[in-house]
Amino acid sequence: MSDPYKPMVVHKPQVRTTAIKTSSQLNAAARAGGIVETQRLGSVMNKGHHVNTDHRRIAELDRSDDVKPPSTIKQTVSQTIQRVRKEKNWTQKELAQKVNEKDTVIRDYEAGKAVPNQQILARLERSLGVKLRGSDIGSVLPARGSKSKEPAAK
């Protein structure tokens, strides 16, 4: 026999790692008693989520510290408010009382500095009688309760 004091080395068989792609392969490995390790691939590996993003624009926004000011009312709207108010011989304060707002709000709308508020614009439209929203700014609103279209002749 061999020398009893010589160290004996026992080799374990090496475990092969394979990528399991289907659930049936995963179930078979679990039944066989194999070591199953799950690993979720990161989003970096999956390039499908980068389809519709503009990375250059996003990176530029991240680098800039500028805050975009809110959009203000169009100049045509402010000029229309001022023109119709003067035609009716109303002051800014009188118009403000009619629409239940402060006179500073009317001043901002006429100066073109106000951030558009649809509720205030609707009240201004009703009190002034002109359209301030949409494509035909400055056109006369139809009277309340009247039909906007003529009935078709038979």
Side-chain angles (χ1 to χ4, degrees):
M1 246 171 111
S2 66
D3 186 15
Y5 298 108
K6 186 176 179 187
M8 187 159 123
V9 179
V10 177
H11 293 285
K12 288 174 63 175
Q14 288 204 348
V15 177
R16 274 188 355 168
T17 58
T18 57
I20 297 175
K21 297 180 181 174
T22 63
S23 61
S24 62
Q25 289 176 342
L26 177 67
N27 291 337
R31 280 193 304 270
I35 299 171
V36 178
E37 178 183 335
T38 59
Q39 185 179 28
R40 184 175 182 91
L41 294 177
S43 63
V44 176
M45 302 299 285
N46 183 8
K47 294 183 181 179
H49 76 286
H50 292 290
V51 175
N52 291 327
T53 57
D54 186 2
H55 296 290
R56 189 179 314 163
R57 182 181 56 84
I58 293 170
E60 184 179 322
L61 286 173
D62 284 344
R63 283 190 298 271
S64 71
D65 291 337
D66 299 337
V67 177
K68 181 183 174 193
S71 60
T72 56
I73 198 158
K74 292 181 183 176
Q75 194 67 28
T76 56
V77 175
S78 62
Q79 290 171 352
T80 303
I81 293 171
Q82 191 173 21
R83 179 182 52 83
V84 175
R85 178 184 59 81
K86 287 182 178 179
E87 286 173 1
K88 294 187 181 243
N89 293 323
W90 291 346
T91 63
Q92 288 180 344
K93 189 172 185 177
E94 289 171 339
L95 179 59
Q97 287 175 348
K98 291 181 187 296
V99 295
N100 294 327
E101 289 293 333
K102 294 182 179 180
D103 57 342
T104 56
V105 173
I106 303 300
R107 191 176 313 127
D108 287 344
Y109 270 85
E110 287 187 0
K113 297 178 183 176
V115 176
N117 182 337
Q118 297 302 316
Q119 293 175 340
I120 295 174
L121 285 171
R123 286 184 276 175
L124 284 169
E125 281 180 338
R126 284 193 302 269
S127 65
L128 294 171
V130 293
K131 286 196 66 158
L132 299 174
R133 300 176 288 179
S135 59
D136 50 348
I137 294 172
S139 64
V140 179
L141 281 176
R144 233 176 166 187
S146 68
K147 303 221 177 196
S148 60
K149 292 183 179 178
E150 293 292 321
K154 291 185 180 180

